[in-house]
Amino acid sequence: MAGGAADCSFWERNLGMQCRMYELRNKKRITVAAASKLLANTMSSYRGYGLSMGTMITGWDETGPQLYYVDDDGTRLHGRYFSVGSGSTYAYGVLDTYYRPDLTVEEAIDLGKRAIYHACHRDAMSGSINNLYHVTKDGWVKIHAIDVNDMHYEYLEEKKNAMSS
């Protein structure tokens, strides 16, 4: 999520409540597409109110893995990867260069880790903790929460070793 902390926190909690209400009424989980549409519709109704939010809605439903981008204007995009926030151009540089559809889980985790690192390290407003999750059909697993400064020294050492070889 990116934008104003209060906007992001409130609207994501609101979406969680709407998804839970759907589940209680329909006795089944909401699809990722429908959840992203709920948020996009809510954001559209508040367009022009000065909200600041961009987020990714992800999950695994009966159609497989899904990823959507939703922002405070109600824009809703479906895609393979997204980056949001002021550091997103740095993350996109890594993603656009190294993403391929046949990445292994380990390669995808490393790519996500590096993309988030570059966004946080190069952009002071992007925070300093790299939180990475892996979403599967069985749910999600938190891979890590690492301080970007620690990652910097890890990657610096990796770069030095690569240059000396």
Side-chain angles (χ1 to χ4, degrees), residues 12-85:
E12 287 186 2
R13 278 194 325 260
N14 180 272
L15 176 61
M17 184 261 321
Q18 289 184 61
C19 290
R20 182 68 179 133
M21 292 299 292
Y22 176 93
E23 189 175 342
L24 290 169
R25 287 184 185 124
N26 298 286
K27 298 184 181 15
K28 67 177 185 174
R29 294 187 77 164
I30 192 168
T31 65
V32 180
S36 68
K37 189 67 172 174
L38 282 174
L39 183 59
N41 288 344
T42 302
M43 291 298 98
S44 289
S45 69
Y46 284 91
R47 185 179 292 143
Y49 281 68
L51 297 178
S52 175
M53 185 207 69
T55 192
M56 291 176 274
I57 308 296
T58 189
W60 199 298
D61 56 30
E62 63 273 357
T63 61
Q66 303 295 320
L67 177 65
Y68 287 85
Y69 163 83
V70 178
D71 69 17
D72 52 47
D73 285 334
T75 299
R76 176 179 168 261
L77 304 170
H78 183 256
R80 289 193 169 283
Y81 61 84
F82 292 107
S83 180
V84 298

Side-chain angles (χ1 to χ4, degrees), residues 93-111:
V94 173
L95 293 169
D96 289 341
T97 302
Y98 297 106
Y99 174 80
R100 3 176 267 281
D102 64 339
L103 290 172
T104 65
V105 171
E106 292 77 23
E107 290 171 328
I109 288 170
D110 185 60
L111 179 59

